[in-house]
Amino acid sequence: MSITKKFYGKTPDGTEVDMFTLSNSNGMTAKIMNYGATITSIIVPDKSGKFDDVVLGYDKLDDYIANKLYFGAIVGRHANRIEDARFIINSTEYNVTKNEGENHIHGGLIGFDKVVWKAEVSTRGQDECLNLCYYSSDGEEGYPGNLDVKVTYTLTDDNELKLDYFATTDKDTVVNLTNHSYFNLSGHASGNILKHEVMINANKFTVNDKNSIPTGEIESVFDTPMDFTKLIPVENGINSKYQQIEFAHGYDHNWILNKGKEKAAEAFDASSGRVMDVYTTEPGIQFYTGNFIYESKNCKDGANYARRSGLCFETQYFPNSLKHKHFPSPILRAGDEYKNSTIFKFSIK
Ligand code: BGC
C-alpha cells in the first residue's frame, strides 16, 4: 500500500489543503484530504472488474467548505445530537453551540469537518498510513478541555479502509468521533440506494423523538421495519407507516450493536455485486439513508445528487448519551485515551 500527496487548494484564510491518494495492490484507491480529514473518493471494482467511485463528494474544495451534509468528513467532538445543546460533567454544566434549532449536532458550526488537520504519512508493518491530527482548544464550540485528536487511515491489500481514532484531553470532556461518508455501491452518480440490501448486527435500537433525539427508550427491532438482522433491501421498509420512520422521513437511527467480533453491518448492491462490510469497536451505528440530501447539482464529476443518493454507517457512541446514564458513556477523562477503530471492507459476490 502506498500514499501519494498532491496540493488540492487553499481555504479562504490561505491555509493549504492536500489530497492524499492511498492505493493497494488490487488497484483500489481511497482519496483523503486534510480539510475535515475527509474521504473524497473510494474507487473499487464491480463483479465485471469495472472500477467506480462509491462515495458522494465534490470536485472543488470550496464546495466542501460550503457543504452542510458532511460528505466524507470526520465529525466531532460529538457526532450526532446533544439535546438542548448542554450537558453536565463533574457537576459543571457546559453549553455547546446550538446549530440545529435548540440542539447541537456533529460538533457545532465549526466542527472537525470544517478545520484543516495536520497530515503525516507513516509506516505500519508493510502498509503506509495517513495520520491526521487536530488540536481542539478548551472552549471550542463550548466543549471543555484541550483535546488532541488523531485519525489514522490505512488501506490494506484486503480492500479494507481502516480508520483508527485516538484522542487525549487535559480536562474531563466528551468525545464521540465518526466518519460521515455517504456510500452508493452502484457508483456515486448512479441514483438512489433503495435497492441496496443492508444487514445491521443489532437486535435493538434507540428510540427517537420527532427531532431525532434519543428519548432513552430502547426497543427490539424484531417485527418492525428496523429489523436488519438479515440482509434486506432498503426499499422494503423505508416508506412504512412505522412512527420512527415517519419521524425521520426514512432511516436515521442508532442501532445498538450486538457485542462480539462479528461484522457490525453490511451493504450489498446486487447490480454491481459490490459488498461493503463494516467492523467497529464502537457500541452503536447511525444508519442514515440520505433523507435530507436535497437536490445538489454539479457535484463530483458533474453528478447531481438527490434524496437517498447515498447511505451512511456512522459508527458511534449513541446520540444524546450524555443525558441517559444507561447509554455507554462518551466521557473521556483527563489522562485516559479515547481509542476506537472502524473498517470498511470492500468485496464482490
Ligand atoms: C444525522 C441526520 C443528519 C445527517 C447530516 C446524520 O448523522 O443523523 O439526521 O441529517 O447526519 O447532518
Side-chain angles (χ1 to χ4, degrees):
M1 204 274 280
S2 65
I3 301 183
T4 58
K5 166 178 162 184
K6 213 173 156 190
F7 170 74
Y8 180 50
K10 280 188 182 173
T11 61
D13 73 1
T15 311
E16 293 196 4
V17 174
D18 293 313
M19 185 68 79
F20 295 83
T21 305
L22 286 57
S23 317
N24 73 8
S25 58
N26 310 316
M28 172 177 170
T29 61
K31 285 194 175 178
I32 292 142
M33 67 166 159
N34 61 329
Y35 181 82
T38 304
I39 298 175
T40 63
S41 117
I42 297 180
I43 300 186
V44 284
D46 70 3
K47 58 187 173 193
S48 62
K50 179 174 161 282
F51 283 78
D52 234 321
D53 190 343
V54 295
V55 287
L56 275 52
Y58 300 105
D59 284 326
K60 292 195 263 10
L61 177 59
D62 287 353
D63 288 330
Y64 279 104
I65 294 173
N67 166 28
K68 294 204 164 51
L69 297 168
Y70 305 89
F71 281 174
I74 296 295
V75 293
R77 291 189 194 191
H78 187 288
N80 218 286
R81 294 174 175 87
I82 299 176
E83 187 173 12
D84 297 329
R86 56 191 159 92
F87 54 84
I88 293 171
I89 299 181
N90 303 338
S91 315
T92 304
E93 181 174 288
Y94 295 97
N95 292 278
V96 284
T97 311
K98 294 183 176 175
N99 59 331
E100 194 186 62
E102 289 302 298
N103 305 317
H104 176 90
I105 186 166
H106 292 331
L109 286 175
I110 306 182
F112 294 175
D113 60 301
K114 290 279 178 277
V115 296
V116 178
W117 297 53
K118 257 201 204 101
E120 179 206 87
V121 174
S122 65
T123 321
R124 191 194 275 169
Q126 301 203 316
D127 295 322
E128 279 194 316
C129 46
L130 174 63
N131 303 295
L132 295 164
C133 297
Y134 178 63
Y135 176 78
S136 169
S137 51
D138 188 8
E140 202 175 279
E141 298 291 329
Y143 289 101
N146 294 301
L147 188 78
D148 269 306
V149 190
K150 180 162 106 175
V151 178
T152 299
Y153 284 99
T154 314
L155 177 65
T156 71
D157 283 334
D158 292 326
N159 287 4
E160 297 168 326
L161 183 61
K162 182 160 192 245
L163 287 75
D164 293 303
Y165 299 90
F166 305 92
T168 51
T169 180
D170 58 2
K171 186 173 175 184
D172 294 358
T173 190
V174 50
V175 187
N176 180 19
L177 306 173
T178 195
N179 178 274
H180 208 300
S181 289
Y182 291 72
F183 298 94
N184 186 325
L185 297 179
S186 309
H188 77 100
S190 65
N192 69 52
I193 44 69
L194 293 173
K195 299 244 173 288
H196 280 49
E197 292 169 42
V198 166
M199 185 284 292
I200 305 173
N201 187 3
N203 296 355
K204 293 180 183 154
F205 71 101
T206 52
V207 175
N208 283 347
D209 68 12
K210 3 182 214 326
N211 296 320
S212 293
I213 307 259
T215 59
E217 291 156 89
I218 289 173
E219 263 180 26
S220 161
V221 298
F222 297 116
D223 302 316
T224 79
M226 310 298 274
D227 183 359
F228 285 98
T229 50
K230 295 194 180 66
L231 272 182
I232 61 155
V234 174
E235 65 184 358
N236 283 22
I238 201 167
N239 292 316
S240 73
K241 294 276 171 249
Y242 188 65
Q243 190 189 48
Q244 283 295 301
I245 293 182
E246 289 188 320
F247 276 172
H249 310 282
Y251 292 107
D252 186 4
H253 298 80
N254 173 68
W255 272 257
I256 300 178
L257 293 170
N258 294 333
K259 289 204 174 72
K261 288 219 158 83
E262 322 87 271
K263 65 183 156 189
E266 176 181 340
F268 170 58
D269 169 44
S271 68
S272 63
R274 290 192 183 100
V275 179
M276 183 178 77
D277 293 321
V278 183
Y279 297 87
T280 190
T281 57
E282 303 266 9
I285 203 163
Q286 187 84 11
F287 171 51
Y288 172 54
T289 44
N291 312 324
F292 304 112
I293 311 178
Y294 291 112
E295 205 176 344
S296 313
K297 291 213 154 105
N298 219 2
C299 300
K300 196 163 44 174
D301 309 325
N304 298 333
Y305 302 137
R307 219 168 155 229
R308 312 209 201 286
S309 290
L311 43 80
C312 303
F313 292 102
E314 299 154 61
T315 55
Q316 61 182 2
Y317 284 86
F318 309 167
N320 209 22
S321 47
L322 290 150
K323 288 267 156 71
H324 303 300
K325 297 281 170 276
H326 57 299
F327 287 3
S329 171
I331 292 177
L332 176 68
R333 302 280 169 200
D336 286 353
E337 189 182 20
Y338 172 96
K339 218 171 159 203
N340 271 301
S341 300
T342 292
I343 294 172
F344 298 112
K345 179 177 172 135
F346 296 86
S347 58
I348 39 178
K349 67 177 175 191

